Amino acid sequence: MQKLFIANWKSNKTTSQAEQFIREFVDALDLGNLSDTTVILCPPFTLLSFVSQFIRANDLSLHIGAQNVSPFPTGAYTGELAAELVHEFCEYVIIGHSERRTNFGENDALLFKKVEQARAEGLKTIYCVQNELTEVPKPVDYIAYEPPSAIGTGNPDDPEKIGEVFDHLKIKYDESGLLYGGSVSAENVTTFTTIPNISGLLVGGASLSAASFASIISAWK
Ligand code: PGA
């Protein structure tokens, strides 16, 4: 089973900062030796073109995800990015992050449409849930359990609690891989790696530094 490490850069990094990150990151980690590991960078939309060209030009085994996608197809939707446009640069997309729900009023109905659009264009979907009761449209490729109390707070969820939430999700959504996100750091990463059924980690703050993101990946043997 591939382990996924997803860097959610949120609304951070200019082009030069992204380039510096990738250069430092590939120096810090021997990507060629990590055959069971998938690393997915999720930069802001402004960097998707640059990051994908940089990865291709340097033949790096890194993958790209978007942090959001339009619930509509291409067309007259000012300010939106349709799945077809996103798919030109990305294989993956994060949908339903709690920051989208809280700051932009995104609800289940809207998020379900986003998943539909993403899947229709062949994007792999990473759907965020805030607890075991969050509705998930079927099917999605991955479900990321991200309790809002753990996001950006330095207080990750208790590994036992994560295991319990995974048990619930496994019963309801057997076809999806399970991820955890919320204050994952190089210091605490090993507390999550032994949780039954965990397929990977979604990392926010600690993915902004190449050194700390590389340490997180190296720590999961
Ligand atoms: P965090 O963010 O690692 O900074 O807590 C995780 C996320 O929001 O995906």
Side-chain angles (χ1 to χ4, degrees), residues 85-147:
L85 311 186
V86 170
H87 197 206
E88 189 179 353
F89 306 108
C90 301
E91 284 167 77
Y92 296 84
V93 61
I94 299 171
I95 295 174
H97 194 285
S98 61
E99 288 158 10
R100 303 273 342 148
R101 291 177 183 266
T102 307
N103 299 313
F104 303 97
E106 296 191 353
N107 59 22
D108 290 347
L110 182 87
L111 295 168
F112 282 33
K113 282 197 202 168
K114 292 186 178 208
V115 170
E116 202 178 301
Q117 289 295 323
R119 288 190 58 81
E121 288 300 329
L123 284 161
K124 291 185 192 133
T125 44
I126 300 160
Y127 199 82
C128 299
V129 302
Q130 289 69 52
N131 56 55
E132 67 274 25
L133 301 176
T134 308
E135 281 298 320
V136 181
K138 283 188 180 183
V140 293
D141 296 282
Y142 293 94
I143 298 175
Y145 167 51
E146 294 214 321

CSV table of all heavy atoms in Angstrom, one decimal, residues 85-147:
chain,number,residue,atom,x,y,z
A,85,LEU,N,-9.7,22.4,-16.2
A,85,LEU,CA,-8.5,23.3,-16.2
A,85,LEU,C,-7.5,22.8,-15.2
A,85,LEU,O,-6.3,22.8,-15.4
A,85,LEU,CB,-9.0,24.7,-15.9
A,85,LEU,CG,-10.1,25.2,-16.8
A,85,LEU,CD1,-10.4,26.7,-16.5
A,85,LEU,CD2,-9.9,25.0,-18.2
A,86,VAL,N,-8.0,22.4,-14.0
A,86,VAL,CA,-7.2,21.9,-12.9
A,86,VAL,C,-6.4,20.7,-13.4
A,86,VAL,O,-5.2,20.5,-13.1
A,86,VAL,CB,-8.0,21.7,-11.7
A,86,VAL,CG1,-7.3,21.0,-10.6
A,86,VAL,CG2,-8.6,23.0,-11.2
A,87,HIS,N,-7.1,19.8,-14.1
A,87,HIS,CA,-6.5,18.5,-14.4
A,87,HIS,C,-5.3,18.7,-15.4
A,87,HIS,O,-4.5,17.8,-15.5
A,87,HIS,CB,-7.6,17.6,-15.0
A,87,HIS,CG,-7.2,16.2,-15.1
A,87,HIS,ND1,-7.7,15.3,-16.0
A,87,HIS,CD2,-6.3,15.5,-14.3
A,87,HIS,CE1,-7.1,14.1,-15.8
A,87,HIS,NE2,-6.3,14.2,-14.8
A,88,GLU,N,-5.2,19.8,-16.1
A,88,GLU,CA,-4.1,20.0,-16.9
A,88,GLU,C,-2.8,20.0,-16.1
A,88,GLU,O,-1.7,19.6,-16.7
A,88,GLU,CB,-4.2,21.4,-17.6
A,88,GLU,CG,-3.2,21.6,-18.7
A,88,GLU,CD,-3.3,23.0,-19.4
A,88,GLU,OE1,-4.3,23.7,-19.1
A,88,GLU,OE2,-2.4,23.3,-20.2
A,89,PHE,N,-2.8,20.3,-14.8
A,89,PHE,CA,-1.6,20.4,-14.0
A,89,PHE,C,-1.6,19.4,-12.9
A,89,PHE,O,-0.6,19.2,-12.3
A,89,PHE,CB,-1.5,21.8,-13.4
A,89,PHE,CG,-1.5,22.9,-14.4
A,89,PHE,CD1,-2.6,23.7,-14.5
A,89,PHE,CD2,-0.5,23.1,-15.3
A,89,PHE,CE1,-2.7,24.7,-15.5
A,89,PHE,CE2,-0.5,24.1,-16.3
A,89,PHE,CZ,-1.6,24.9,-16.4
A,90,CYS,N,-2.8,18.9,-12.5
A,90,CYS,CA,-2.9,18.1,-11.2
A,90,CYS,C,-3.5,16.7,-11.5
A,90,CYS,O,-4.3,16.5,-12.3
A,90,CYS,CB,-3.9,18.8,-10.3
A,90,CYS,SG,-3.5,20.4,-9.8
A,91,GLU,N,-3.1,15.8,-10.6
A,91,GLU,CA,-3.7,14.5,-10.6
A,91,GLU,C,-4.7,14.4,-9.5
A,91,GLU,O,-5.6,13.6,-9.5
A,91,GLU,CB,-2.7,13.4,-10.2
A,91,GLU,CG,-1.7,13.0,-11.3
A,91,GLU,CD,-0.6,12.2,-10.7
A,91,GLU,OE1,-0.8,11.0,-10.3
A,91,GLU,OE2,0.5,12.7,-10.4
A,92,TYR,N,-4.5,15.2,-8.4
A,92,TYR,CA,-5.4,15.1,-7.2
A,92,TYR,C,-6.1,16.4,-6.9
A,92,TYR,O,-5.6,17.5,-7.4
A,92,TYR,CB,-4.5,14.8,-6.0
A,92,TYR,CG,-3.8,13.5,-6.0
A,92,TYR,CD1,-2.6,13.3,-6.7
A,92,TYR,CD2,-4.3,12.4,-5.4
A,92,TYR,CE1,-1.9,12.1,-6.8
A,92,TYR,CE2,-3.7,11.1,-5.5
A,92,TYR,CZ,-2.5,11.0,-6.1
A,92,TYR,OH,-1.8,9.8,-6.2
A,93,VAL,N,-7.1,16.4,-6.1
A,93,VAL,CA,-7.7,17.6,-5.6
A,93,VAL,C,-8.2,17.4,-4.2
A,93,VAL,O,-8.8,16.3,-3.9
A,93,VAL,CB,-8.8,18.1,-6.5
A,93,VAL,CG1,-10.0,17.1,-6.7
A,93,VAL,CG2,-9.4,19.5,-6.1
A,94,ILE,N,-8.0,18.4,-3.3
A,94,ILE,CA,-8.6,18.4,-2.0
A,94,ILE,C,-9.9,19.0,-2.0
A,94,ILE,O,-10.1,20.1,-2.6
A,94,ILE,CB,-7.7,19.2,-1.0
A,94,ILE,CG1,-6.3,18.6,-0.9
A,94,ILE,CG2,-8.3,19.2,0.4
A,94,ILE,CD1,-5.3,19.4,-0.1
A,95,ILE,N,-10.9,18.4,-1.5
A,95,ILE,CA,-12.3,18.9,-1.4
A,95,ILE,C,-12.8,18.8,0.0
A,95,ILE,O,-12.6,17.9,0.7
A,95,ILE,CB,-13.2,18.2,-2.4
A,95,ILE,CG1,-12.7,18.4,-3.9
A,95,ILE,CG2,-14.7,18.6,-2.3
A,95,ILE,CD1,-13.4,17.6,-4.9
A,96,GLY,N,-13.5,19.9,0.4
A,96,GLY,CA,-14.2,19.9,1.7
A,96,GLY,C,-13.4,20.2,2.9
A,96,GLY,O,-13.7,19.9,4.0
A,97,HIS,N,-12.2,20.9,2.7
A,97,HIS,CA,-11.4,21.3,3.8
A,97,HIS,C,-12.3,22.2,4.7
A,97,HIS,O,-13.0,23.0,4.3
A,97,HIS,CB,-10.2,22.0,3.3
A,97,HIS,CG,-9.1,22.2,4.4
A,97,HIS,ND1,-9.3,23.1,5.4
A,97,HIS,CD2,-8.0,21.5,4.6
A,97,HIS,CE1,-8.2,23.0,6.2
A,97,HIS,NE2,-7.4,22.1,5.8
A,98,SER,N,-12.1,22.1,6.1
A,98,SER,CA,-12.9,22.8,7.0
A,98,SER,C,-12.7,24.3,6.8
A,98,SER,O,-13.6,25.1,7.1
A,98,SER,CB,-12.6,22.4,8.4
A,98,SER,OG,-11.3,22.7,8.8
A,99,GLU,N,-11.5,24.8,6.3
A,99,GLU,CA,-11.3,26.2,6.1
A,99,GLU,C,-12.2,26.7,5.0
A,99,GLU,O,-12.6,27.8,4.9
A,99,GLU,CB,-9.8,26.5,5.8
A,99,GLU,CG,-9.0,26.3,7.0
A,99,GLU,CD,-7.5,26.1,6.8
A,99,GLU,OE1,-7.1,26.2,5.6
A,99,GLU,OE2,-6.8,25.8,7.8
A,100,ARG,N,-12.6,25.8,4.0
A,100,ARG,CA,-13.5,26.2,2.9
A,100,ARG,C,-14.9,26.2,3.5
A,100,ARG,O,-15.7,27.1,3.2
A,100,ARG,CB,-13.4,25.2,1.8
A,100,ARG,CG,-12.1,25.0,1.1
A,100,ARG,CD,-11.7,25.9,0.0
A,100,ARG,NE,-12.7,26.6,-0.6
A,100,ARG,CZ,-12.5,27.9,-1.2
A,100,ARG,NH1,-11.4,28.4,-1.0
A,100,ARG,NH2,-13.5,28.5,-1.8
A,101,ARG,N,-15.2,25.2,4.4
A,101,ARG,CA,-16.6,25.2,4.9
A,101,ARG,C,-16.8,26.5,5.8
A,101,ARG,O,-17.8,27.1,5.7
A,101,ARG,CB,-16.8,24.0,5.8
A,101,ARG,CG,-16.8,22.7,5.0
A,101,ARG,CD,-17.0,21.5,5.9
A,101,ARG,NE,-16.9,20.2,5.2
A,101,ARG,CZ,-18.0,19.5,4.8
A,101,ARG,NH1,-19.2,20.0,5.0
A,101,ARG,NH2,-17.9,18.4,4.2
A,102,THR,N,-15.8,26.8,6.6
A,102,THR,CA,-16.0,27.9,7.6
A,102,THR,C,-15.9,29.3,7.0
A,102,THR,O,-16.7,30.1,7.2
A,102,THR,CB,-14.9,27.7,8.7
A,102,THR,OG1,-14.9,26.4,9.2
A,102,THR,CG2,-15.1,28.7,9.8
A,103,ASN,N,-14.8,29.5,6.1
A,103,ASN,CA,-14.6,30.8,5.6
A,103,ASN,C,-15.4,31.1,4.3
A,103,ASN,O,-15.5,32.3,4.0
A,103,ASN,CB,-13.1,31.0,5.3
A,103,ASN,CG,-12.3,30.9,6.6
A,103,ASN,OD1,-12.6,31.4,7.6
A,103,ASN,ND2,-11.2,30.1,6.5
A,104,PHE,N,-15.8,30.1,3.6
A,104,PHE,CA,-16.4,30.3,2.3
A,104,PHE,C,-17.8,29.7,2.3
A,104,PHE,O,-18.4,29.6,1.2
A,104,PHE,CB,-15.5,29.8,1.2
A,104,PHE,CG,-14.2,30.5,1.2
A,104,PHE,CD1,-13.1,29.8,1.9
A,104,PHE,CD2,-14.0,31.7,0.7
A,104,PHE,CE1,-11.9,30.4,1.9
A,104,PHE,CE2,-12.7,32.4,0.8
A,104,PHE,CZ,-11.7,31.7,1.4
A,105,GLY,N,-18.3,29.3,3.4
A,105,GLY,CA,-19.7,28.8,3.5
A,105,GLY,C,-20.0,27.5,2.6
A,105,GLY,O,-21.1,27.3,2.2
A,106,GLU,N,-18.9,26.7,2.3
A,106,GLU,CA,-19.2,25.6,1.5
A,106,GLU,C,-20.0,24.5,2.3
A,106,GLU,O,-19.6,24.2,3.4
A,106,GLU,CB,-17.9,25.0,0.9
A,106,GLU,CG,-17.2,26.1,0.0
A,106,GLU,CD,-16.0,25.5,-0.8
A,106,GLU,OE1,-15.6,24.3,-0.6
A,106,GLU,OE2,-15.5,26.2,-1.7
A,107,ASN,N,-21.0,24.0,1.6
A,107,ASN,CA,-21.8,22.9,2.4
A,107,ASN,C,-21.8,21.6,1.6
A,107,ASN,O,-21.2,21.5,0.5
A,107,ASN,CB,-23.2,23.4,2.6
A,107,ASN,CG,-23.9,23.7,1.2
A,107,ASN,OD1,-23.5,23.2,0.2
A,107,ASN,ND2,-24.9,24.6,1.3
A,108,ASP,N,-22.4,20.6,2.2
A,108,ASP,CA,-22.3,19.3,1.6
A,108,ASP,C,-22.8,19.3,0.1
A,108,ASP,O,-22.2,18.7,-0.7
A,108,ASP,CB,-23.2,18.3,2.4
A,108,ASP,CG,-22.6,18.0,3.7
A,108,ASP,OD1,-21.5,18.3,4.0
A,108,ASP,OD2,-23.4,17.4,4.6
A,109,ALA,N,-23.9,20.0,-0.2
A,109,ALA,CA,-24.5,19.9,-1.5
A,109,ALA,C,-23.5,20.5,-2.5
A,109,ALA,O,-23.2,19.9,-3.6
A,109,ALA,CB,-25.8,20.7,-1.6
A,110,LEU,N,-22.8,21.6,-2.2
A,110,LEU,CA,-21.8,22.2,-3.1
A,110,LEU,C,-20.6,21.3,-3.2
A,110,LEU,O,-20.1,21.0,-4.3
A,110,LEU,CB,-21.4,23.5,-2.5
A,110,LEU,CG,-20.3,24.3,-3.4
A,110,LEU,CD1,-21.1,25.1,-4.4
A,110,LEU,CD2,-19.4,25.2,-2.5
A,111,LEU,N,-20.2,20.7,-2.1
A,111,LEU,CA,-19.0,19.8,-2.1
A,111,LEU,C,-19.2,18.6,-2.9
A,111,LEU,O,-18.3,18.1,-3.6
A,111,LEU,CB,-18.5,19.5,-0.7
A,111,LEU,CG,-18.1,20.8,0.1
A,111,LEU,CD1,-17.9,20.5,1.6
A,111,LEU,CD2,-16.8,21.3,-0.5
A,112,PHE,N,-20.4,18.1,-2.8
A,112,PHE,CA,-20.8,16.9,-3.6
A,112,PHE,C,-20.6,17.2,-5.1
A,112,PHE,O,-20.2,16.3,-5.9
A,112,PHE,CB,-22.2,16.4,-3.3
A,112,PHE,CG,-22.3,15.6,-2.0
A,112,PHE,CD1,-21.5,15.9,-0.9
A,112,PHE,CD2,-23.2,14.6,-1.8
A,112,PHE,CE1,-21.5,15.2,0.3
A,112,PHE,CE2,-23.3,13.8,-0.7
A,112,PHE,CZ,-22.4,14.2,0.4
A,113,LYS,N,-21.1,18.4,-5.5
A,113,LYS,CA,-20.9,18.8,-6.9
A,113,LYS,C,-19.5,18.9,-7.3
A,113,LYS,O,-19.1,18.5,-8.4
A,113,LYS,CB,-21.6,20.1,-7.1
A,113,LYS,CG,-23.1,20.1,-7.2
A,113,LYS,CD,-23.5,21.5,-7.9
A,113,LYS,CE,-24.9,21.9,-7.6
A,113,LYS,NZ,-25.2,23.3,-8.0
A,114,LYS,N,-18.7,19.4,-6.4
A,114,LYS,CA,-17.2,19.5,-6.7
A,114,LYS,C,-16.6,18.1,-7.0
A,114,LYS,O,-15.8,17.9,-7.9
A,114,LYS,CB,-16.5,20.2,-5.6
A,114,LYS,CG,-16.8,21.6,-5.5
A,114,LYS,CD,-16.0,22.3,-4.4
A,114,LYS,CE,-16.4,23.8,-4.4
A,114,LYS,NZ,-15.3,24.7,-4.0
A,115,VAL,N,-17.0,17.1,-6.1
A,115,VAL,CA,-16.5,15.8,-6.3
A,115,VAL,C,-17.0,15.2,-7.6
A,115,VAL,O,-16.2,14.6,-8.4
A,115,VAL,CB,-17.0,14.9,-5.1
A,115,VAL,CG1,-16.7,13.4,-5.4
A,115,VAL,CG2,-16.3,15.3,-3.8
A,116,GLU,N,-18.2,15.5,-8.0
A,116,GLU,CA,-18.8,15.0,-9.2
A,116,GLU,C,-18.0,15.5,-10.4
A,116,GLU,O,-17.6,14.8,-11.3
A,116,GLU,CB,-20.2,15.4,-9.3
A,116,GLU,CG,-21.1,14.7,-10.2
A,116,GLU,CD,-22.5,15.2,-10.2
A,116,GLU,OE1,-23.1,15.3,-9.0
A,116,GLU,OE2,-23.0,15.7,-11.2
A,117,GLN,N,-17.7,16.8,-10.4
A,117,GLN,CA,-16.9,17.5,-11.5
A,117,GLN,C,-15.5,16.9,-11.5
A,117,GLN,O,-15.0,16.6,-12.6
A,117,GLN,CB,-16.8,19.0,-11.2
A,117,GLN,CG,-18.1,19.7,-11.5
A,117,GLN,CD,-18.6,19.6,-12.9
A,117,GLN,OE1,-17.8,19.7,-13.8
A,117,GLN,NE2,-19.9,19.5,-13.2
A,118,ALA,N,-14.9,16.8,-10.3
A,118,ALA,CA,-13.5,16.3,-10.3
A,118,ALA,C,-13.4,14.9,-10.8
A,118,ALA,O,-12.5,14.6,-11.6
A,118,ALA,CB,-13.0,16.3,-8.8
A,119,ARG,N,-14.3,14.0,-10.4
A,119,ARG,CA,-14.3,12.6,-10.9
A,119,ARG,C,-14.5,12.5,-12.4
A,119,ARG,O,-13.9,11.7,-13.0
A,119,ARG,CB,-15.3,11.8,-10.1
A,119,ARG,CG,-14.9,11.6,-8.6
A,119,ARG,CD,-15.8,10.5,-8.0
A,119,ARG,NE,-15.7,9.3,-8.7
A,119,ARG,CZ,-14.8,8.3,-8.6
A,119,ARG,NH1,-13.8,8.5,-7.7
A,119,ARG,NH2,-14.8,7.2,-9.3
A,120,ALA,N,-15.5,13.3,-12.8
A,120,ALA,CA,-15.8,13.3,-14.3
A,120,ALA,C,-14.6,13.6,-15.1
A,120,ALA,O,-14.4,13.2,-16.3
A,120,ALA,CB,-16.9,14.3,-14.6
A,121,GLU,N,-13.7,14.4,-14.6
A,121,GLU,CA,-12.4,14.8,-15.3
A,121,GLU,C,-11.2,13.9,-15.0
A,121,GLU,O,-10.1,14.2,-15.4
A,121,GLU,CB,-12.1,16.3,-15.0
A,121,GLU,CG,-13.0,17.3,-15.7
A,121,GLU,CD,-13.0,17.2,-17.2
A,121,GLU,OE1,-12.0,16.8,-17.8
A,121,GLU,OE2,-14.1,17.4,-17.8
A,122,GLY,N,-11.5,12.9,-14.1
A,122,GLY,CA,-10.4,12.0,-13.8
A,122,GLY,C,-9.4,12.4,-12.7
A,122,GLY,O,-8.4,11.9,-12.6
A,123,LEU,N,-9.8,13.4,-12.0
A,123,LEU,CA,-9.0,13.8,-10.8
A,123,LEU,C,-9.2,12.9,-9.7
A,123,LEU,O,-10.3,12.4,-9.4
A,123,LEU,CB,-9.4,15.2,-10.3
A,123,LEU,CG,-8.9,16.4,-11.2
A,123,LEU,CD1,-9.7,17.7,-10.9
A,123,LEU,CD2,-7.4,16.7,-11.0
A,124,LYS,N,-8.1,12.6,-8.9
A,124,LYS,CA,-8.3,11.7,-7.7
A,124,LYS,C,-8.7,12.6,-6.6
A,124,LYS,O,-8.1,13.7,-6.4
A,124,LYS,CB,-7.0,11.0,-7.4
A,124,LYS,CG,-6.6,10.0,-8.4
A,124,LYS,CD,-5.4,9.2,-8.0
A,124,LYS,CE,-4.9,8.4,-9.2
A,124,LYS,NZ,-3.5,8.5,-9.4
A,125,THR,N,-9.7,12.2,-5.9
A,125,THR,CA,-10.3,13.1,-4.9
A,125,THR,C,-9.9,12.8,-3.4
A,125,THR,O,-9.8,11.6,-3.0
A,125,THR,CB,-11.9,13.0,-4.9
A,125,THR,OG1,-12.2,11.6,-5.1
A,125,THR,CG2,-12.4,13.7,-6.1
A,126,ILE,N,-9.5,13.8,-2.7
A,126,ILE,CA,-9.2,13.7,-1.3
A,126,ILE,C,-10.2,14.5,-0.6
A,126,ILE,O,-10.2,15.7,-0.6
A,126,ILE,CB,-7.8,14.3,-1.0
A,126,ILE,CG1,-6.7,13.6,-1.9
A,126,ILE,CG2,-7.4,14.3,0.5
A,126,ILE,CD1,-5.4,14.4,-2.1
A,127,TYR,N,-11.1,13.8,0.1
A,127,TYR,CA,-12.3,14.5,0.7
A,127,TYR,C,-12.0,14.6,2.2
A,127,TYR,O,-11.8,13.6,2.9
A,127,TYR,CB,-13.5,13.7,0.4
A,127,TYR,CG,-14.8,14.5,0.6
A,127,TYR,CD1,-15.3,15.3,-0.4
A,127,TYR,CD2,-15.5,14.4,1.8
A,127,TYR,CE1,-16.4,16.1,-0.2
A,127,TYR,CE2,-16.7,15.1,2.0
A,127,TYR,CZ,-17.1,16.0,0.9
A,127,TYR,OH,-18.3,16.7,1.1
A,128,CYS,N,-12.1,15.9,2.7
A,128,CYS,CA,-11.9,16.1,4.1
A,128,CYS,C,-13.2,15.9,5.0
A,128,CYS,O,-14.2,16.4,4.6
A,128,CYS,CB,-11.4,17.5,4.4
A,128,CYS,SG,-9.8,17.8,3.5
A,129,VAL,N,-13.0,15.2,6.1
A,129,VAL,CA,-14.2,15.1,7.0
A,129,VAL,C,-13.7,15.7,8.4
A,129,VAL,O,-12.5,15.5,8.7
A,129,VAL,CB,-14.7,13.7,7.2
A,129,VAL,CG1,-15.1,13.1,5.8
A,129,VAL,CG2,-13.7,12.7,7.8
A,130,GLN,N,-14.6,16.3,9.1
A,130,GLN,CA,-14.3,16.9,10.3
A,130,GLN,C,-14.5,15.9,11.5
A,130,GLN,O,-13.9,16.1,12.6
A,130,GLN,CB,-15.1,18.2,10.5
A,130,GLN,CG,-14.7,19.3,9.6
A,130,GLN,CD,-15.0,19.0,8.1
A,130,GLN,OE1,-16.1,18.7,7.7
A,130,GLN,NE2,-14.0,19.2,7.2
A,131,ASN,N,-15.4,15.0,11.3
A,131,ASN,CA,-15.6,13.9,12.3
A,131,ASN,C,-16.2,12.7,11.5
A,131,ASN,O,-16.4,12.8,10.3
A,131,ASN,CB,-16.5,14.4,13.4
A,131,ASN,CG,-17.8,14.9,12.9
A,131,ASN,OD1,-18.5,14.2,12.2
A,131,ASN,ND2,-18.1,16.1,13.3
A,132,GLU,N,-16.6,11.7,12.3
A,132,GLU,CA,-17.1,10.4,11.6
A,132,GLU,C,-18.5,10.6,11.0
A,132,GLU,O,-18.9,9.8,10.3
A,132,GLU,CB,-17.0,9.2,12.5
A,132,GLU,CG,-17.9,9.2,13.7
A,132,GLU,CD,-17.3,10.0,14.9
A,132,GLU,OE1,-16.5,10.9,14.7
A,132,GLU,OE2,-17.8,9.7,16.0
A,133,LEU,N,-19.1,11.7,11.4
A,133,LEU,CA,-20.5,11.9,10.9
A,133,LEU,C,-20.6,12.8,9.6
A,133,LEU,O,-21.6,12.9,9.0
A,133,LEU,CB,-21.3,12.6,12.0
A,133,LEU,CG,-21.4,11.9,13.3
A,133,LEU,CD1,-22.2,12.7,14.4
A,133,LEU,CD2,-22.1,10.5,13.1
A,134,THR,N,-19.5,13.4,9.2
A,134,THR,CA,-19.5,14.2,8.0
A,134,THR,C,-19.9,13.3,6.8
A,134,THR,O,-19.3,12.2,6.7
A,134,THR,CB,-18.0,14.7,7.7
A,134,THR,OG1,-17.6,15.4,8.8
A,134,THR,CG2,-18.1,15.7,6.5
A,135,GLU,N,-20.8,13.7,6.0
A,135,GLU,CA,-21.3,12.9,4.9
A,135,GLU,C,-20.2,13.0,3.8
A,135,GLU,O,-19.7,14.0,3.5
A,135,GLU,CB,-22.6,13.5,4.3
A,135,GLU,CG,-23.8,13.2,5.1
A,135,GLU,CD,-24.1,11.6,5.1
A,135,GLU,OE1,-23.9,11.0,4.1
A,135,GLU,OE2,-24.5,11.1,6.2
A,136,VAL,N,-20.0,11.8,3.2
A,136,VAL,CA,-19.0,11.7,2.1
A,136,VAL,C,-19.7,11.2,0.9
A,136,VAL,O,-20.3,10.2,0.9
A,136,VAL,CB,-17.8,10.7,2.5
A,136,VAL,CG1,-16.8,10.7,1.4
A,136,VAL,CG2,-17.2,11.2,3.9
A,137,PRO,N,-19.5,11.9,-0.2
A,137,PRO,CA,-20.1,11.3,-1.5
A,137,PRO,C,-19.3,10.1,-1.9
A,137,PRO,O,-18.1,10.1,-1.8
A,137,PRO,CB,-19.9,12.5,-2.5
A,137,PRO,CG,-18.8,13.3,-2.0
A,137,PRO,CD,-18.7,13.1,-0.5
A,138,LYS,N,-20.0,9.1,-2.5
A,138,LYS,CA,-19.3,7.9,-2.9
A,138,LYS,C,-19.2,7.9,-4.4
A,138,LYS,O,-20.2,8.2,-5.1
A,138,LYS,CB,-20.1,6.7,-2.4
A,138,LYS,CG,-20.0,6.4,-1.0
A,138,LYS,CD,-20.7,5.0,-0.7
A,138,LYS,CE,-20.6,4.6,0.7
A,138,LYS,NZ,-21.2,3.3,1.0
A,139,PRO,N,-18.1,7.4,-4.9
A,139,PRO,CA,-16.9,7.1,-4.2
A,139,PRO,C,-15.9,8.3,-4.2
A,139,PRO,O,-15.9,9.1,-5.1
A,139,PRO,CB,-16.3,5.9,-4.9
A,139,PRO,CG,-16.7,6.2,-6.4
A,139,PRO,CD,-18.0,7.0,-6.3
A,140,VAL,N,-15.0,8.4,-3.2
A,140,VAL,CA,-13.9,9.3,-3.3
A,140,VAL,C,-12.6,8.4,-3.1
A,140,VAL,O,-12.7,7.3,-2.5
A,140,VAL,CB,-13.9,10.4,-2.2
A,140,VAL,CG1,-15.1,11.4,-2.5
A,140,VAL,CG2,-14.0,9.9,-0.8
A,141,ASP,N,-11.5,8.9,-3.6
A,141,ASP,CA,-10.3,8.0,-3.5
A,141,ASP,C,-9.7,8.0,-2.1
A,141,ASP,O,-9.3,6.9,-1.6
A,141,ASP,CB,-9.3,8.6,-4.5
A,141,ASP,CG,-9.7,8.5,-5.9
A,141,ASP,OD1,-9.7,7.3,-6.4
A,141,ASP,OD2,-10.2,9.5,-6.5
A,142,TYR,N,-9.7,9.2,-1.4
A,142,TYR,CA,-9.2,9.2,-0.1
A,142,TYR,C,-10.1,10.0,0.8
A,142,TYR,O,-10.7,11.0,0.3
A,142,TYR,CB,-7.8,9.9,0.0
A,142,TYR,CG,-6.8,9.0,-0.7
A,142,TYR,CD1,-6.5,9.2,-2.1
A,142,TYR,CD2,-6.1,8.0,0.0
A,142,TYR,CE1,-5.6,8.4,-2.7
A,142,TYR,CE2,-5.2,7.2,-0.7
A,142,TYR,CZ,-5.0,7.4,-2.0
A,142,TYR,OH,-4.1,6.6,-2.7
A,143,ILE,N,-10.2,9.7,2.1
A,143,ILE,CA,-10.9,10.5,3.1
A,143,ILE,C,-9.9,11.0,4.1
A,143,ILE,O,-9.1,10.1,4.6
A,143,ILE,CB,-12.0,9.7,3.8
A,143,ILE,CG1,-13.1,9.2,2.7
A,143,ILE,CG2,-12.7,10.5,4.9
A,143,ILE,CD1,-14.1,8.3,3.3
A,144,ALA,N,-9.8,12.3,4.3
A,144,ALA,CA,-8.8,12.8,5.2
A,144,ALA,C,-9.6,13.3,6.5
A,144,ALA,O,-10.4,14.2,6.4
A,144,ALA,CB,-8.1,14.0,4.6
A,145,TYR,N,-9.4,12.6,7.6
A,145,TYR,CA,-10.0,13.0,8.9
A,145,TYR,C,-9.2,14.2,9.4
A,145,TYR,O,-8.0,14.0,9.7
A,145,TYR,CB,-10.0,11.9,9.8
A,145,TYR,CG,-10.4,12.2,11.2
A,145,TYR,CD1,-11.5,13.0,11.5
A,145,TYR,CD2,-9.5,11.8,12.3
A,145,TYR,CE1,-11.8,13.4,12.8
A,145,TYR,CE2,-9.8,12.2,13.6
A,145,TYR,CZ,-11.0,12.9,13.9
A,145,TYR,OH,-11.2,13.3,15.2
A,146,GLU,N,-9.8,15.4,9.5
A,146,GLU,CA,-9.1,16.6,9.9
A,146,GLU,C,-10.0,17.3,11.0
A,146,GLU,O,-10.8,18.2,10.6
A,146,GLU,CB,-8.8,17.5,8.8
A,146,GLU,CG,-7.9,17.0,7.8
A,146,GLU,CD,-7.0,18.1,7.2
A,146,GLU,OE1,-7.6,19.2,6.9
A,146,GLU,OE2,-5.8,17.9,7.0
A,147,PRO,N,-9.9,16.9,12.2
A,147,PRO,CA,-10.8,17.6,13.2
A,147,PRO,C,-10.3,19.1,13.3
A,147,PRO,O,-9.1,19.4,13.5
A,147,PRO,CB,-10.5,16.9,14.5
A,147,PRO,CG,-9.2,16.2,14.3
A,147,PRO,CD,-9.0,15.9,12.8
